[in-house]
Amino acid sequence: MCSGELTEFKSSDETETIYQDLTVTPFGDFIIADYYNIEIIGETTNDRQLIYTPIAIDMIKFNGWSENKLSISCEELGIPDSKIALELDATTFEINVLSRIYKSQS
């Protein structure tokens, strides 16, 4: 378990990744997202673990915590204007799809 303190943000060998969102779990673990991936940061940014998502996603946004569950909104990768609601369980680090809404193509 992390202490809740981020001691380093960028390693010297890290490429220029643009992170879109950052949150801290109720247990003190840092969760980051770029456009396509969600990761857990360990003691340093070199110690990152990719969190499996059941679908390929884009435009990730963290919406807040309800107890140990993080609400996440995003689009399905390659499907503009789709609205996907996900939930990350901070005790298991599993992500579930709650809903999918696709704009009709007329």
Side-chain angles (χ1 to χ4, degrees), residues 78-93:
I79 305 177
D81 298 320
S82 58
K83 296 186 187 311
I84 310 298
L86 304 174
E87 184 177 73
L88 168 69
D89 184 320
T91 58
T92 63
F93 292 109

Side-chain angles (χ1 to χ4, degrees), residues 49-78:
Q49 179 181 348
L50 188 66
I51 298 175
Y52 169 78
T53 55
I55 58 173
I57 56 178
D58 190 6
M59 305 300 292
I60 301 165
K61 181 177 180 343
F62 298 151
N63 299 316
W65 291 92
S66 176
E67 297 183 11
N68 296 333
K69 310 280 181 155
L70 175 63
S71 171
I72 304 169
S73 57
C74 57
E75 292 182 358
E76 189 163 347
L77 185 63

Side-chain angles (χ1 to χ4, degrees), residues 15-75:
T15 59
E16 291 294 322
T17 301
I18 298 174
Y19 295 107
Q20 299 300 310
D21 221 335
L22 165 76
T23 190
V24 180
T25 71
F27 308 111
D29 299 302
F30 285 90
I31 307 290
I32 57 173
D34 59 19
Y35 284 107
Y36 312 107
N37 299 298
I38 301 171
E39 297 177 301
I40 305 166
I41 298 178
E43 293 297 322
T44 70
T45 56
N46 288 331
D47 181 20
R48 292 188 311 241
Q49 179 181 348
L50 188 66
I51 298 175
Y52 169 78
T53 55
I55 58 173
I57 56 178
D58 190 6
M59 305 300 292
I60 301 165
K61 181 177 180 343
F62 298 151
N63 299 316
W65 291 92
S66 176
E67 297 183 11
N68 296 333
K69 310 280 181 155
L70 175 63
S71 171
I72 304 169
S73 57
C74 57
E75 292 182 358

